[in-house]
Amino acid sequence: MIRALYTIRLKQGIRIVNDLGIGRFLFLIIIYILVSFPLFLSAKQESGIRIAVSVILLLLLFIQTKRKDIRFLKSHVENYHLLLFVEYLLISIPLVTGLLYFQEYLMLLLLVSGIALIGFVNRHTKTIVLNTFIQRLIPDECFEWKSGIRSSMLYLVPVWLAGLLTSFWIGSIPVAMVIIGIATLGFTENNEPLTLLQQFEKGPGKLLNFKVKNQLMLYSVLAIPLLVVYLLLHIEYWYIAVAIYLIFLIVNAYAILCKYAFYQPNTRSAGQLFNIFGTVSAFLPFLLPVVLFLIIRFWFRSISNLKPYLEDFN
């Protein structure tokens, strides 16, 4: 069965390459190399090792909690944890290679152990949704946020409160801001029906401005109180929280434009690889210039893509 699944993965990969086109595929390969090289070199420095291992494990945990195929794997693959372990190990190859090359065996053991444990993390298949006054505070036109907050409130609220209540520790608020930032990126994953898109009665450019503005405003509502408290308590390290806030502003804007650059009604966003790249860039800031370039590229692509759907409102 595992062999059959790897065959399916290969066919899925070929389909993705065909859908992307050779140009975009080569672009992603270049990005992968640009990401891999710093990860490899990070194994050379002690502080870099800890950061790189933490980032990789956090990203793999994020991927694990977002996977839709866990229930299928559990019911059809006897040792599905092994399959997950191999997949996540392949993703981590640049860092694993660096740790082996620089003989950092203890950190390698930590990384491999973390990867193995992540495969056992299982998001509940039955999502608990809540309707509270918080959703009513969100403008009706921000339906992605209403839906996202409804399904993620049970962990977003504790994370926000934990960051605030433990703000005396220098790392608590930055960690909370990162988790909240990643969660808000997930709100843009699904494409709304065409009727919801047309109800705004805006042309492509005005709609994009509207969507980006709302995304950044609502993220700021969550992040700015944490940012202010951090600056009051840890002003000497002001740049840490400010940098996180600005990075996630950029990445949230990127996520909106990425969504509409590949928009098709009632589907999951076709730009998943680019979305993943945006999430990765939040942890690897040297990729932000590429994100800024893609923001400009996706702005024009979004307008072109939305024009047939919103032609009546130009």
Side-chain angles (χ1 to χ4, degrees):
M1 186 61 191
I2 291 181
R3 180 181 296 179
L5 281 170
Y6 280 127
T7 302
I8 292 173
R9 290 284 189 265
L10 178 61
K11 292 180 178 179
Q12 288 174 333
I14 294 173
R15 189 181 305 118
I16 289 172
V17 173
N18 289 333
D19 291 341
L20 285 173
I22 188 65
R24 294 193 191 97
F25 177 70
L26 290 176
F27 172 77
L28 289 175
I29 291 295
I30 293 171
I31 293 300
Y32 177 76
I33 294 172
L34 290 175
V35 173
S36 300
F37 188 63
L39 282 176
F40 175 83
L41 292 181
S42 67
K44 190 176 182 179
Q45 300 177 343
E46 185 176 348
S47 58
I49 295 174
R50 292 195 293 268
I51 294 172
V53 169
S54 300
V55 167
I56 287 293
L57 291 178
L58 187 59
L59 285 174
L60 293 178
L61 181 60
F62 176 74
I63 293 172
Q64 175 72 6
T65 58
K66 288 292 184 180
R67 291 185 70 134
K68 306 293 184 181
D69 59 348
I70 296 297
R71 189 173 183 179
F72 170 81
L73 294 176
K74 288 175 68 175
S75 60
H76 289 80
V77 181
E78 184 176 353
N79 297 315
Y80 76 96
H81 293 112
L82 178 61
L83 177 68
L84 296 175
F85 175 78
V86 172
E87 289 183 352
Y88 294 153
L89 194 62
L90 288 174
I91 294 174
S92 310
I93 279 296
L95 183 56
V96 170
T97 304
L99 293 173
L100 285 171
Y101 182 81
F102 294 108
Q103 300 180 1
E104 294 289 347
Y105 300 120
L106 182 60
M107 294 305 296
L108 177 63
L109 178 61
L110 177 63
L111 175 64
V112 173
S113 301
I115 291 173
L117 291 174
I118 285 172
F120 289 89
V121 175
N122 186 20
R123 187 183 66 173
H124 295 298
T125 54
K126 183 178 180 181
T127 303
I128 300 175
V129 295
L130 299 173
N131 288 295
T132 68
F133 76 95
I134 295 179
Q135 286 98 301
R136 291 192 290 273
L137 294 175
I138 301 173
D140 291 339
E141 58 267 23
C142 302
F143 45 81
E144 302 98 335
W145 274 76
K146 282 183 177 287
S147 174
I149 292 294
R150 185 181 298 116
S151 60
S152 60
M153 184 181 296
L154 287 178
Y155 73 86
L156 273 186
V157 171
V159 165
W160 192 90
L161 289 175
L164 200 62
L165 294 175
T166 61
S167 55
F168 54 86
W169 179 53
I170 192 172
S172 62
I173 285 181
V175 169
M177 290 175 68
V178 168
I179 294 174
I180 291 169
I182 293 175
T184 58
L185 295 177
F187 296 170
T188 66
E189 286 182 348
N190 296 315
N191 292 326
E192 63 268 33
L194 182 57
T195 51
L196 283 179
L197 195 67
Q198 292 176 333
Q199 73 171 356
F200 296 105
E201 299 184 356
K202 298 178 184 293
K206 290 182 178 179
L207 179 67
L208 290 174
N209 277 324
F210 179 77
K211 288 285 188 178
V212 170
K213 181 189 72 174
N214 284 336
Q215 181 77 9
L216 301 188
M217 177 189 69
L218 290 172
Y219 169 68
S220 295
V221 167
L222 294 176
I224 285 180
L226 296 173
L227 177 61
V228 170
V229 172
Y230 182 88
L231 293 177
L232 290 174
L233 295 177
H234 308 287
I235 189 63
E236 66 274 22
Y237 300 108
W238 62 271
Y239 50 87
I240 297 176
V242 170
I244 292 172
Y245 174 65
L246 293 177
I247 286 171
F248 276 101
L249 283 182
I250 294 171
V251 176
N252 268 282
Y254 168 84
I256 290 291
L257 294 173
C258 186
K259 171 184 177 179
Y260 289 109
F262 299 92
Y263 173 82
Q264 291 180 333
N266 298 312
T267 62
R268 194 174 177 85
S269 176
Q272 288 300 302
L273 288 176
F274 288 102
N275 276 327
I276 293 172
F277 172 72
T279 303
V280 170
S281 69
F283 296 94
L284 301 172
F286 68 88
L287 293 176
L288 287 177
V290 181
V291 172
L292 291 172
F293 168 77
L294 288 176
I295 284 177
I296 298 172
R297 175 73 180 89
F298 287 159
W299 171 269
F300 292 105
R301 180 185 170 93
S302 296
I303 290 178
S304 176
N305 188 43
L306 292 175
K307 190 173 291 185
Y309 300 113
L310 304 174
E311 187 66 37
D312 293 341
F313 307 110
N314 281 326

